[in-house]
Amino acid sequence: MVFARTKLMMEDNCFEEDPGRVYIKFVGPGVTKLYSKMYELMKSVFRVSDADIQEVEYAWGKGEKGEKFNIRWWLHKDMDIFSYLYIKFSLTGEGTEKKGVAKITIRGLLRTEYPQDTVWQRSLFYELLRTMWHRIFYHKKREEYAEECRHSIILFERKVKEYWEALKKEIEGA
């Protein structure tokens, strides 16, 4: 993330389809165990540390059908000096060890920021050079970053589904 007083920011959804989100719904046993597994998978799939994941909302309590929960994380991953991934994960659900419902929503953003603090960075000549550089060289790099974002989100989705299937077999077999 570029720290600047003023900056030019470009933001794209990792998935271009409307609305640019991935939804996963689970029905079955052990939905409360998704919380810890999701956090672990975020770190391993996106290759980030604890400092790059921020839990911005956490609500866990008793509901009519068991434990009720609503958790939201923001993951920040620097790609280079100008670009980073900003990915929102939401987990909501209600249930017990025997049965329940959980929904995961993932929205990935690719952001590129160019600082515009100095007189030079605000000049027309600098803007022309930056635009030319961006179109000739950096546009391709941003496409690669968006592809990495899509790939990582799909891999995360697959890993959560694999965990879910293994958990269902474990609970139903016990």
Side-chain angles (χ1 to χ4, degrees):
M1 182 178 321
V2 177
F3 293 100
R5 287 187 302 271
T6 59
K7 57 190 160 199
L8 172 68
M9 183 171 71
M10 294 180 278
E11 179 177 280
D12 295 313
N13 286 324
C14 291
F15 291 96
E16 294 177 9
E17 297 80 24
D18 192 37
R21 292 181 173 93
V22 174
Y23 297 102
I24 310 168
K25 185 174 180 180
F26 297 104
V27 178
V31 293
T32 56
K33 293 183 178 185
L34 285 171
Y35 170 72
S36 57
K37 188 62 176 181
M38 276 186 64
Y39 188 79
E40 175 187 316
L41 285 174
M42 278 185 251
K43 289 182 358 180
S44 65
V45 169
F46 290 91
R47 299 178 308 277
V48 296
S49 67
D50 288 326
D52 297 322
I53 301 172
Q54 182 178 8
E55 191 171 82
V56 293
E57 184 177 330
Y58 180 89
W60 200 291
K62 294 289 182 188
E64 295 175 10
K65 300 176 185 174
E67 296 183 59
K68 190 173 186 176
F69 49 92
N70 184 16
I71 299 101
R72 187 172 65 224
W73 296 273
W74 278 105
L75 181 143
H76 173 271
K77 180 179 181 179
D78 287 326
M79 304 306 281
D80 64 24
I81 193 169
F82 298 114
S83 296
Y84 59 94
L85 299 180
Y86 205 50
I87 303 173
K88 175 185 171 184
F89 296 87
S90 297
L91 171 65
T92 58
E94 186 173 13
T96 63
E97 287 294 316
K98 303 269 185 221
K99 70 176 187 173
V101 176
K103 184 174 108 176
I104 297 171
T105 307
I106 307 165
R107 180 173 184 221
L109 299 171
L110 170 63
R111 288 186 178 165
T112 301
E113 298 178 353
Y114 295 110
Q116 304 213 315
D117 286 337
T118 65
V119 174
W120 165 244
Q121 290 172 334
R122 293 181 190 163
S123 71
L124 180 61
F125 186 66
Y126 176 84
E127 187 60 25
L128 290 171
L129 289 175
R130 188 205 56 78
T131 303
M132 186 175 68
W133 173 79
H134 182 85
R135 289 187 185 191
I136 294 172
F137 301 107
Y138 201 66
H139 182 71
K140 176 95 169 120
K141 199 67 171 163
R142 287 188 83 239
E143 288 176 355
E144 290 173 15
Y145 293 154
E147 182 64 30
E148 183 178 337
C149 181
R150 286 187 291 274
H151 173 73
S152 296
I153 289 174
I154 291 168
L155 181 61
F156 178 83
E157 179 184 8
R158 285 185 187 149
K159 295 279 188 185
V160 169
K161 286 178 183 178
E162 287 172 10
Y163 170 74
W164 179 253
E165 292 303 320
L167 183 65
K168 279 182 15 182
K169 287 179 185 175
E170 177 185 313
I171 291 175
E172 289 171 355

